[in-house]
């Protein structure tokens, strides 16, 4: 094989590789743009969002017949590795639990999804059946970092207050 045909073949292969790379990048970009839900999911709203972020309940406690308290991990719609934690309080009314209050534990998207939804995610979730009801929450930041500092709340008449 001559030297010039070898160069031509290598140049053709590089051109073909570059074209395939550009086509794939364009296709992936278009697919990402078509499936993006940034700005359409309202994590804190009770209304239905166009595409809700995945959620996983990570803890729950019922205090007598008065209150039900849940912790739910909410995956970020902008960053698949990030999550928020929603603490909800429910009161019993008409034979059913009805949400009476909710707060975000820590910062919005301030947690990591995988540690938060994995084994050992809840380090401390302590409640008591008193009025007001003290509540302590500590969650796994990462396995190497360990647990967050405990956050204290009070549940009084179905509302959540910083404790």
């Amino acid at each position: 094989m001559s030297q010039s045909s070898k160069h031509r073949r290598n140049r053709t292969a590089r051109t073909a590789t570059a074209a395939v790379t550009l086509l794939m990048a364009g296709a992936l970009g278009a697919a990402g743009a078509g499936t993006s839900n940034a700005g359409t999911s309202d994590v804190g709203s009770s209304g239905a969002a166009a595409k809700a972020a995945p959620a996983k309940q990570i803890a729950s406690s019922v205090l007598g017949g008065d209150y039900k308290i849940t912790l739910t991990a909410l995956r970020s719609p902008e960053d698949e590795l990030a999550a928020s934690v929603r603490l909800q309080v429910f009161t019993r009314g008409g034979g059913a639990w009805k949400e009476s209050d909710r707060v975000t534990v820590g910062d919005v998207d301030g947690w990591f999804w995988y540690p938060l939804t994995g084994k050992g995610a809840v380090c401390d979730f302590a409640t008591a059946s008193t009025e007001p009801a003290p509540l302590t929450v500590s969650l796994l930041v990462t396995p190497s970092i360990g647990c967050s500092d405990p956050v204290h709340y009070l549940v009084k008449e179905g509302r959540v207050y910083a404790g």
Side-chain angles (χ1 to χ4, degrees), residues 66-80:
D66 299 326
Y67 301 123
K68 177 179 176 182
I69 300 170
T70 62
L71 287 177
T72 304
L74 303 163
R75 196 172 203 165
S76 170
E78 286 87 29
D79 179 354
E80 69 181 25

Side-chain angles (χ1 to χ4, degrees), residues 92-108:
R92 197 106 168 126
W97 292 109
K98 295 182 182 180
E99 182 182 272
S100 59
D101 202 8
R102 71 168 63 183
V103 297
T104 300
V105 178
D107 295 330
V108 172

Side-chain angles (χ1 to χ4, degrees), residues 1-7 9:
M1 181 182 301
S2 76
Q3 195 68 355
S4 81
S5 65
K6 188 186 273 185
H7 285 293
R9 197 169 96 197

Side-chain angles (χ1 to χ4, degrees), residues 77-134:
E78 286 87 29
D79 179 354
E80 69 181 25
L81 300 179
S84 299
V85 176
R86 180 176 58 209
L87 182 147
Q88 288 176 278
V89 176
F90 299 87
T91 55
R92 197 106 168 126
W97 292 109
K98 295 182 182 180
E99 182 182 272
S100 59
D101 202 8
R102 71 168 63 183
V103 297
T104 300
V105 178
D107 295 330
V108 172
D109 293 346
W111 301 93
F112 295 105
W113 174 255
Y114 291 105
L116 196 58
T117 57
K119 186 175 180 178
V122 179
C123 303
D124 189 10
F125 182 60
T127 61
S129 291
T130 61
E131 183 68 38

